[in-house]
């Protein structure tokens, strides 16, 4: 049985929450959140093409640090790629 990818922001001590119908997601690739999905439902086109700084326990700055993820120029509707960790 294959488990659905974890959606960013779900609790780690609860059963994995996979993608839900009617929602829009981007896959996170590379970095500390590799393989997770981020729910971008309701985000503006500008917010989606800009990307986001996502809080993670596993950044180079420890718990509360952030990981920068954004789409690539060639695939603005594709997965978001890890850029760097930020405090």
């Amino acid at each position: 049985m294959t488990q659905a990818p974890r959606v960013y922001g779900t609790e780690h001590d609860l059963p994995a929450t996979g993608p839900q119908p009617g929602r829009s997601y981007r896959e996170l690739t590379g970095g500390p959140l590799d393989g997770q999905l981020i729910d971008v439902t309701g985000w503006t086109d500008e917010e989606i093409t800009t990307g986001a700084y996502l809080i993670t326990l596993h950044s180079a700055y420890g718990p509360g640090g952030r990981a920068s993820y954004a789409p690539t120029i060639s695939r603005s509707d594709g997965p978001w790629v890890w850029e760097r960790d930020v405090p």
Side-chain angles (χ1 to χ4, degrees):
M1 181 167 104
T2 304
Q3 187 175 3
R6 180 176 290 281
V7 175
Y8 172 79
T10 58
E11 297 295 327
H12 290 281
D13 56 349
L14 297 175
T17 302
Q20 301 297 308
R23 311 289 298 176
S24 182
Y25 299 91
R26 296 294 185 273
E27 180 182 1
L28 303 174
T29 59
L33 301 173
D34 185 53
Q36 292 189 38
L37 300 175
I38 183 156
D39 185 348
V40 296
T41 305
W43 291 31
T44 66
D45 288 341
E46 181 179 354
E47 289 170 327
I48 292 172
T49 58
T50 300
Y53 294 112
L54 305 173
I55 296 173
T56 177
L57 297 173
H58 306 290
S59 83
Y61 298 94
R66 290 169 174 76
S68 175
Y69 284 88
T72 62
I73 293 171
S74 64
R75 293 191 61 201
S76 61
D77 63 340
W80 285 7
V81 178
W82 177 72
E83 299 175 315
R84 66 189 177 284
D85 289 342
V86 294

